[in-house]
Amino acid sequence: MRRRARRLTLAFASAASLLVESLSDRAVARAEPEASAPPPAQTVLPPKLRSAPDVPYPEGARGDARVVLTIEVRADGTVRSATPAEPNEPFSSHASRAAQDFVFEPATRGGRPVAAKIRFELRFTEPAPPEPAEDPPTTDGAVAASPSDGAAGSPGAPATKADSKEPIEVIVTGVRPELSRTASLTRAEVREIPGTFGDPFRAVEALPGVTPIVSGLPFFFVRGAPPGNVGYFLDGVRVPLLFHVGAGPSVVNPALIDRVDFYPAGYPARFGRFAGGVVAGETLPPVPELHGEYNVRVFDAGAMVEAPFLDGEGTAMLGGRYSYTGFLLTALSSTTKLDYWDYQGRVSYELGPRDRVELFSFGSYDYVGERTPTEDLTLFGTEFHRLDLRYDHRFVGRGKLRSAFTLGLDRSRVQQQDRKVRARLAGARNELEYRLSDTALFRAGTDLTLETYDIELGANDLAPSAARIAESYPSRTDTTLGLRGDFVLRVTPRFDVTPGVRVDLYGSDGATALAVDPRVSWRAQASKRAAVLGLFGVAHQPPSFVVPLPGFQPGGLPGGLQRALQGSLGIELELGGGMTATATVFQNAFFSMSDPLGSSAPLPMGCQPGTYPGDSIGGDLGEQPDEPTPCGERFPPGTLGPDRSGGGGQAADSRGGRRVGEAFEVRTLGSGRGIELFFKRRLTERLGGFASYTFSRSTRSYERRSYPAAFDRTHVANAAVAYDLGRGFRAGLRGMFYTGVPKAPDPTDPESTRLPAFFRLDARFEKRFRLSPRSHLSLVAEWMNATLSEEAITTTCTLSGCEAEMIGPVTIPSVGVEGAF
Amino acid sequence: MARGSRFTVAAPLLLLLAACGSDVGEAPTSPPCDDECRDRVALRAVREMTKLAYNLLLQGNPVGMQAEAAPCPLGGAVVIFGEASSNAEQGATVVDLSYGFDGCTHLEVDDEPDETYRMTLTGFMTQQGTLAAQPSATTALVMQSPSMTMSGTVYDPPLAYGEDGCTLELGQNGNDLSGLMCGREVGVDLGGPPN
C-alpha cells in the first residue's frame, strides 16, 4: 500500500563522510601477542545501519535541512551518543534524539566488533502534501524502503550509499504524536520573536487562544480558562512557578529547553490536573560533548554548560541565571530589596546500551522586600526546588520506559515572616511509550504524589474576609494518584486519532474526589494541502489559587473539583513556500470554576457619578435637581463596621477586602468560545514571521447572572516578522493588539462597554559573529513595548465622571551579549 | 475617588535608573527618638491595639450589646463589653465600650521607625464616640483608663518602654490622637491610609 499521504519524508545520506575511529585501540593493542612487532594490517569495516530510523519530520518545522551527526556506535551496535556537528534547530536536536534509537552492525577491526565514531548525515525533506486522488494499494519503492518491512534496514545500505555520496530516500511512518498541540516552539524560532528575550515560555503569550491579563505580565487566560488553571511542566515535572517576579524571565534557562509545546485543550493523557491548558517544556537530551550557552544582559546573566565524564558514558550539566538588578537596586536604594535567581543541574550516566540514569534538579528564588534600620521586611518571597531521579530504558526501535522519583520543596512568604507556606513533595511516576506497529503507538503512565503543607498565615490577626480565605489553606497532606493511557493510531493513511483517558484520585484534608478524563483528538487529511483537526476532552482540577505560586494550593477540595469540557475543530492548510495557516473554532465549558480574577462582574472604583461616598459630605452638584445620594453601604447594614479611624488597618475589613474574599469562595459556571487564526512562516527563514488572531468571548455565570469574564478580550492579535539582513545582521518587529477588558457601567459614557484597547510594538536587532562552525557570539538589542504604551486596567469614578485608570508603560529595553560553543 | 490615577510599573532597567535618585548605598538610619518620641509611639500602640481588638472581636457583629473575649496574637487576652450601633451608609459606628487587656501583646513592624513597636498592655480602658469605616471619615472618640500598664519596645531600632499604672485621658478627632498619658501631654497624627 502506498503510504504517501500521512508519512513524513526523511532523506538521509548515511555516512556521507564516514570517519571511523576505533575507540578501543588500546584494548586491541593489548590483545596483540607481540607488542614490539608491527601489528598486522587489519581490515577496519565501518558500522552499518541495521534498523532504519523512525524519524518523523519535526513538528512545526518548515523547509529542508541537513544535519551532520557524530555518532558513537558501541561494539554491540547500539548508539552511545549522537552529537550534531553544528546547531540547526529544530532539526539538529530532533535528529540527535532520534539517532539514539538507531541500531548498527558494529564496526569491526580484524573481524572483531569494536566501538566506532562515525559522521552521519540526515537530510530532512519537508513532507510533500498528499495527493488525494492517488492511493493505490500497491507496494512501491518507497514502501520497500520503509523500516517496517526491513528493506531500508538492510545492512549496508547506508554505508554503500556513503561511497556514492548519494542519499537514499526513506519514507518513514512517523505518526504525528500530538494532535492536540496548537504549537511547538523551538528555541531557534523563539529567539527570533521580539519581546520574548529568547525565552520559549514567554513566547506562549503570542499564540492563538492566549489572552493576556496585562501586557508583559506572564500570566494569561487560555480559551477562557484563568491563569490558575494553566499548568506548567518541565520534562513531565510540574513547575509551580514559571516566571520570576513581575515581568521577569522564566525560571528555566532557555539554553536548556529543547522545545515548548502548548496545549490549549484536549491535551495528551500524560498531562492532567489542570482544567485550562498545558504549557510543557522538554529539555535537551544529554550531549556527551563540551558545549554551552551564555548571555549577559542589562538586568541579568545566565549560562549553561554541559560536559562529558567517564569517557562520555556520563554527562554533567549546570545552568542558571542571576539577576543583578536586585543587587544593584539593593546597593542603590535605601529601601528596596529585590532578588531572583534560578539553577538547573543534570547528571546522566549510560548504564548500558539501552539504559540511562539521570538526576535532574532545578529551582528558583524570588524576593521582594523593604529595608528598615534593623531588618528586611518581606513583601513577597518564594522559592521552589525539584530533584528528579530518572531511570530510562529504551526498547530499541519500539519505545521507552521511564521510572522517576521526584522530591520537591516550595516555600512562600507574604508580608512579614509570620505568614508563610511550606510544601514538601514526594512523587513517583512511570511513563511508557511503546510502538505496537508502524501505525500504533501506546502510551501509559502512573503517578503518585504526596504533598505536605505547613501553613502559617497568622490568621489570628487577619481581617474577617482574609481569615476566611486563610481557612482554605490549612496545614495538611494531600495525596494524588493518577493512571493514564492513550493510543496514537493511524487508522488510515489519511486519518490519525489519539483516544485516551486519565483517572485521578485526589485526597486532601479528609476530602476525596475521583476524576475520569476521557480525551480524543484526530486529524483527517482532506486534500493535498488541507487537513481537518478536531478534539474533545474532559479535564478536572482541584480548586486553584489566582495564579500559580509555590505552596498556594487550597486544601480540603472546597466546592469539589473544577471541571472543563473542551472541544475544537480546525483546518490546517499548507500554503507552500514554507507557510502554513490554521483556523480553529473552539468551545469550552467550565463547571464549578474557582476564578477569583475573572468571576467578579466589573465594578467601578470609587462611586458612580452623581453619588458620593457615604462617609463624606456630598458636595454641591450645582444645577442638578436631584439630591445626590450616597454611593453605597460601607459594611453590611445592622452590623458593626470596622474601625479604620486613622493609622493602620489592624485587621479591619473593607468593601474591597470583602469583595476579594467573596471572589475566592465563589464557584462559577464559565464558557469560552471563539475562533483562532494562525499563519506562520518559519522564523528562521530569511524572511519569516507569524500572525495570530483570536476572536473570542469568555463568560461567567453566578447566581443566575451571566456576564463577561473580567479579562474577556474580544480581539487579540499578534504579528511578528524577522528578516535576515545578511552578514550576520537580523532584525525583527512584533506588534500586539488586544481589546480592553469589560468596563463597569459608566453613566457619563453609556455607549462605552470596554476599557480602551492596547497596542504595543516590540523590536529586536542582532548581529551574529560566527567564531567557528560550532560557536558564535551575538550582540542583541531588544525592546519590549518600544512604543511605551500604557494600558487601562479599571475605571475610577468621581462625582464628575469616570475615567480609565492606566498603568505603565510596562517596558523592558535590553542590550546584551549571547553566545554558544 | 481620585487616587492619582497613573503610576508606572518600571522595567528592571528603569527601576535601576529611578533608584539612582534615592538614598544611595546604605540602609536607612533612624533619627534619634527622645522620651516624647517614645511616648508618641506608645500612644499609637495603645490606639492600634484597641483597634485590633475591636476589629478581631466586634466588626461584623450585629448591633447592640457586645461581650467578646479572645487571645491576643502574641499572648495574653482581651475582653470587650458594652454597646455599639452603626450607620452602614455613613460608614460610622457609635460605641460605648470597655476594653480589658490582660498581658495582651502585639507586634507591629513597619518601614517607618515610629510606627514599629512590640507592646504588652494590662488594664482597663473605656472608649466612647464614633468610629469610622474609612480613615478619611469623621472619628470622634474619647478613651480613658485609670490604670494601664505598658511594657515592651518602641521605635526601630527598638527602645525599651515601660509604664506601670498609667492613667490615660485621650481623644481622637479624625486622625489626630492626643491627650494625657501618665500625666504627660502627648499627641500623634495617625494619618495615612490603612495597611
Side-chain angles (χ1 to χ4, degrees):
Chain A
M1 188 168 70
R2 192 172 181 186
R3 301 179 185 177
R4 288 192 298 179
R6 286 290 300 118
R7 288 181 197 136
L8 305 175
T9 305
L10 162 69
F12 66 91
S14 63
S17 69
L18 186 63
L19 305 175
V20 179
E21 305 168 20
S22 170
L23 299 180
S24 54
D25 281 348
R26 280 175 293 181
V28 171
R30 280 196 298 272
E32 295 299 326
E34 293 179 342
S36 58
Q42 292 183 328
T43 305
V44 176
L45 294 177
K48 297 173 184 175
L49 190 63
R50 182 190 297 166
S51 72
D54 182 11
V55 187
Y57 188 83
E59 288 277 351
R62 290 291 174 269
D64 301 341
R66 168 182 175 273
V67 176
V68 176
L69 295 172
T70 300
I71 297 181
E72 287 187 50
V73 182
R74 294 186 176 90
D76 65 359
T78 58
V79 173
R80 180 184 184 188
S81 67
T83 309
E86 57 183 274
N88 178 16
E89 299 298 350
F91 299 100
S92 48
S93 296
H94 195 72
S96 173
R97 206 167 26 248
Q100 296 288 336
D101 284 339
F102 290 6
V103 178
F104 292 82
E105 282 195 358
T108 56
R109 178 191 288 266
R112 285 185 179 180
V114 293
K117 185 182 286 187
I118 60 170
R119 285 168 61 84
F120 195 95
E121 181 183 291
L122 290 95
R123 288 184 188 166
F124 289 90
T125 303
E126 188 172 10
E131 297 171 16
E134 299 175 19
D135 194 12
T138 56
T139 300
D140 61 13
V143 172
S146 78
S148 59
D149 46 35
S154 59
T160 304
K161 281 293 179 186
D163 296 333
S164 66
K165 297 194 184 328
E166 289 180 7
I168 60 169
E169 186 172 84
V170 175
I171 306 295
V172 293
T173 56
V175 291
R176 187 180 294 250
E178 306 298 1
L179 302 178
S180 58
R181 180 167 55 202
T182 289
S184 183
L185 299 167
T186 65
R187 178 80 200 295
E189 284 193 293
V190 168
R191 197 196 300 273
E192 307 298 334
I193 302 177
T196 63
F197 302 98
D199 191 333
F201 286 106
R202 284 197 70 103
V204 170
E205 69 172 8
L207 296 176
V210 177
T211 302
I213 296 177
V214 176
S215 165
L217 195 66
F219 296 111
F220 27 75
F221 282 72
V222 174
R223 290 186 178 176
N229 288 21
V230 180
Y232 303 112
F233 294 85
L234 183 63
D235 285 353
V237 179
R238 187 169 62 84
V239 181
L241 174 73
L242 190 56
F243 298 98
H244 286 295
V245 286
S250 69
V251 299
V252 183
N253 193 320
L256 187 64
I257 299 299
D258 179 26
R259 67 172 201 281
V260 170
D261 298 330
F262 176 54
Y263 303 96
Y267 9 99
R270 180 187 183 201
F271 301 110
R273 300 169 192 164
F274 286 93
V278 165
V279 178
E282 296 291 333
T283 59
L284 287 166
V287 177
E289 190 170 86
L290 180 65
H291 69 108
E293 286 191 28
Y294 54 89
N295 67 64
V296 180
R297 300 185 289 199
V298 171
F299 43 87
D300 64 12
M304 184 278 285
V305 63
E306 184 170 36
F309 63 88
L310 292 179
D311 200 23
E313 291 292 340
T315 65
M317 183 280 296
L318 198 60
R321 172 177 15 229
Y322 177 68
S323 167
Y324 32 77
T325 309
F327 170 76
L328 292 173
L329 267 180
T330 303
L332 293 170
S333 166
S334 62
T335 57
T336 305
K337 189 171 171 63
L338 174 67
D339 206 3
Y340 70 77
W341 47 258
D342 58 64
Y343 67 90
Q344 303 84 37
R346 182 176 65 192
V347 178
S348 71
Y349 182 75
E350 300 289 335
L351 297 172
R354 297 178 181 84
D355 301 280
R356 174 195 292 162
V357 65
E358 199 172 292
L359 185 64
F360 180 45
S361 177
F362 63 100
S364 98
Y365 174 85
D366 287 86
Y367 181 86
V368 182
E370 204 161 8
R371 301 167 78 196
T372 74
T374 55
E375 62 180 316
D376 293 333
L377 301 181
T378 301
L379 300 178
F380 176 70
T382 191
E383 63 185 294
F384 77 86
H385 309 275
R386 290 290 182 274
L387 190 65
D388 197 46
L389 177 63
R390 309 153 173 179
Y391 166 75
D392 291 333
H393 177 76
R394 286 196 299 274
F395 307 104
V396 176
R398 285 291 181 183
K400 58 190 176 184
L401 172 69
R402 165 168 288 184
S403 294
F405 184 73
T406 308
L407 292 176
L409 173 66
D410 297 353
R411 286 197 297 198
S412 293
R413 289 168 288 163
V414 288
Q415 293 174 344
Q416 303 180 18
Q417 310 294 335
D418 59 339
R419 307 192 202 283
K420 53 195 173 191
V421 174
R422 183 182 70 169
R424 288 168 293 172
L425 174 151
R429 68 185 191 281
N430 294 296
E431 300 174 341
L432 171 70
E433 279 189 29
Y434 196 79
R435 188 171 295 281
L436 303 173
S437 71
D438 290 345
T439 58
L441 175 69
F442 175 61
R443 303 182 296 194
T446 63
D447 70 271
L448 174 67
T449 306
L450 299 174
E451 289 171 284
T452 300
Y453 293 84
D454 300 302
I455 298 177
E456 296 175 30
L457 293 178
N460 57 357
D461 62 352
L462 292 176
S465 54
R468 279 203 305 277
I469 296 173
E471 287 173 5
S472 296
Y473 295 84
S475 295
R476 83 278 179 185
T477 296
D478 288 356
T479 308
T480 315
L481 173 66
L483 304 169
R484 49 94 173 174
D486 62 10
F487 290 91
V488 183
L489 303 173
R490 169 158 297 168
V491 180
T492 74
R494 298 184 186 185
F495 186 70
D496 295 342
V497 63
T498 302
V501 66
R502 70 171 291 131
V503 179
D504 289 295
L505 179 64
Y506 301 90
S508 176
D509 205 29
T512 58
L514 179 69
V516 180
D517 296 359
R519 293 162 195 172
V520 61
S521 53
W522 53 269
R523 175 193 171 97
Q525 194 72 41
S527 70
K528 183 177 179 181
R529 294 191 177 275
V532 181
L533 299 91
L535 65 83
F536 176 78
V538 178
H540 286 85
Q541 179 178 359
S544 50
F545 191 62
V546 185
V547 294
L549 278 184
F552 279 85
Q553 171 62 43
L557 305 173
L561 299 177
Q562 303 179 77
R563 186 169 81 255
L565 305 182
Q566 307 164 330
S568 70
L569 187 66
I571 298 174
E572 186 178 275
L573 298 173
E574 295 284 348
L575 302 177
M579 294 179 286
T580 57
T582 60
T584 306
V585 180
F586 68 88
Q587 166 81 57
N588 287 353
F590 306 102
F591 303 90
S592 196
M593 191 181 200
S594 59
D595 176 20
L597 275 180
S599 293
S600 304
L603 291 173
M605 299 186 67
C607 296
Q608 292 280 28
T611 65
Y612 64 93
D615 50 7
S616 66
I617 296 171
D620 182 3
L621 292 185
E623 297 177 354
Q624 293 187 30
D626 297 330
E627 195 71 19
T629 55
C631 72
E633 295 147 350
R634 296 283 150 179
F635 48 84
T639 67
L640 300 181
D643 181 0
R644 296 168 63 87
S645 44
Q650 270 79 37
D653 222 334
S654 65
R655 278 198 303 190
R658 284 194 299 278
R659 199 175 159 208
V660 170
E662 289 164 6
F664 271 86
E665 293 173 350
V666 160
R667 303 299 288 269
T668 60
L669 297 173
S671 74
R673 64 180 69 92
I675 300 172
E676 299 166 357
L677 304 176
F678 191 49
F679 167 84
K680 180 182 169 186
R681 185 168 198 236
R682 201 154 69 97
L683 283 152
T684 47
E685 299 280 349
R686 183 176 178 86
L687 174 63
F690 70 86
S692 69
Y693 168 72
T694 305
F695 173 74
S696 68
R697 176 76 160 178
S698 177
T699 62
R700 300 288 183 268
S701 297
Y702 179 60
E703 292 183 335
R704 298 182 181 177
R705 278 192 314 133
S706 186
Y707 45 86
F711 286 89
D712 172 61
R713 301 186 190 276
T714 308
H715 308 281
V716 179
N718 277 276
V721 61
Y723 186 67
D724 186 347
L725 300 167
R727 300 194 173 192
F729 289 98
R730 194 166 179 89
L733 276 178
R734 173 187 166 203
M736 185 182 197
F737 168 86
Y738 49 76
T739 313
V741 294
K743 183 181 177 184
D746 181 356
T748 62
D749 187 9
E751 299 297 316
S752 170
T753 57
R754 288 185 178 270
L755 292 172
F758 175 80
F759 172 77
R760 81 167 204 238
L761 203 59
D762 306 335
R764 182 179 188 278
F765 187 78
E766 175 184 1
K767 166 61 179 170
R768 176 173 291 207
F769 303 92
R770 197 174 178 86
L771 306 178
S772 75
R774 288 185 53 82
S775 65
H776 73 268
L777 180 73
S778 293
L779 302 177
V780 181
E782 194 162 0
W783 195 347
M784 189 198 84
N785 193 9
T787 43
L788 299 178
S789 304
E790 296 183 344
E791 185 169 4
I793 55 164
T794 188
T795 308
T796 298
C797 295
T798 64
L799 279 172
S800 57
C802 298
E803 66 175 19
E805 185 163 343
M806 311 296 286
I807 65 164
V810 179
T811 180
I812 304 179
S814 169
V815 178
V817 176
E818 297 177 1
F821 58 90
Chain B
M1 297 174 69
R3 298 194 312 145
S5 61
R6 294 183 178 207
F7 61 94
T8 299
V9 180
L13 176 61
L14 300 183
L15 268 175
L16 278 177
L17 297 176
C20 292
S22 59
D23 302 334
V24 173
E26 297 177 2
T29 55
S30 304
C33 186
D34 56 16
D35 288 346
E36 195 175 323
C37 161
R38 296 181 194 201
D39 277 349
R40 278 201 306 271
V41 182
L43 178 61
R44 174 186 289 275
V46 170
R47 176 66 188 97
E48 292 189 343
M49 287 178 70
T50 58
K51 184 193 287 186
L52 176 65
Y54 171 91
N55 283 327
L56 289 178
L57 294 178
L58 300 193
Q59 72 170 322
N61 277 7
V63 297
M65 295 302 295
Q66 309 293 322
E68 301 278 1
C72 293
L74 294 180
V78 60
V79 297
I80 308 178
F81 52 88
E83 188 170 9
S85 61
S86 69
N87 182 326
E89 218 163 61
Q90 296 297 325
T93 303
V94 179
V95 297
D96 183 359
L97 300 170
S98 294
Y99 292 73
F101 296 99
D102 181 12
C104 178
T105 304
H106 179 55
L107 168 69
E108 189 72 32
V109 181
D110 197 279
D111 56 339
E112 294 294 330
D114 57 358
E115 296 182 20
T116 297
Y117 55 84
R118 180 189 179 95
M119 186 65 73
T120 300
L121 298 182
T122 298
F124 274 92
M125 190 173 79
T126 59
Q127 184 186 57
Q128 294 167 311
T130 301
L131 302 173
Q134 290 292 110
S136 58
T138 302
T139 299
L141 280 178
V142 173
M143 289 167 284
Q144 295 176 311
S145 173
S147 175
M148 182 68 73
T149 297
M150 299 179 280
S151 62
T153 60
V154 295
Y155 208 65
D156 185 13
L159 303 169
Y161 192 88
E163 293 286 352
D164 283 334
C166 182
T167 58
L168 301 176
E169 292 182 22
L170 308 171
Q172 183 177 348
N173 184 1
N175 288 330
D176 294 328
L177 176 65
S178 60
L180 292 174
M181 190 166 74
C182 313
R184 300 188 294 272
E185 283 196 6
V186 61
V188 63
D189 180 1
L190 296 172
N195 293 333

